[in-house]
Amino acid sequence: FTKSETMGKNLVRNFITEEFRDSVKEVLQQALNGQETANFEFPLFNKSGERRDILLNATTRRGPDGEVTGVIGVGQDITQIRESTSE
């Protein structure tokens, strides 16, 4: 996907498969509530329909006053790692 195809779009609704929408949404919501999540795995499909295995870390972002201001989500493509360990 290009930047213009993704910016402003709802990540969970538009890019996560239905099977994993609730769990990814929960991980992000927990981070908004101050509970960070590390190493959450789920599949993501690229524009051409190819499956990629993603490792997600969701971290709470706080302002100077300690209040939650958002979530920093980092997803790492671990497809090749999964393929090499399953051989």
Side-chain angles (χ1 to χ4, degrees):
F1 294 96
T2 65
K3 183 177 179 179
S4 64
E5 291 173 312
T6 58
M7 291 301 291
K9 302 283 190 320
N10 182 290
L11 169 70
V12 174
R13 186 172 51 244
N14 292 299
F15 302 103
I16 306 299
T17 60
E18 187 172 347
E19 179 184 357
F20 285 88
R21 283 185 190 146
D22 288 342
S23 55
V24 172
K25 186 176 180 180
E26 180 65 24
V27 165
L28 297 174
Q29 186 60 52
Q30 286 175 350
L32 280 172
N33 293 333
Q35 182 181 350
E36 300 178 358
T37 300
N39 302 325
F40 177 78
E41 294 183 36
F42 67 99
L44 190 64
F45 292 85
N46 64 18
K47 191 174 181 178
S48 63
E50 181 182 12
R51 178 187 166 123
R52 308 305 297 173
D53 293 319
I54 304 298
L55 184 66
L56 174 66
N57 292 293
T59 304
T60 304
R61 183 172 184 197
R62 297 180 184 276
D65 59 359
E67 291 294 315
V68 175
T69 60
V71 172
I72 299 171
V74 178
Q76 179 182 2
D77 185 343
I78 59 167
T79 305
Q80 288 184 325
I81 295 168
R82 286 288 168 252
E83 289 171 352
S84 67
T85 59
S86 66
E87 292 177 351

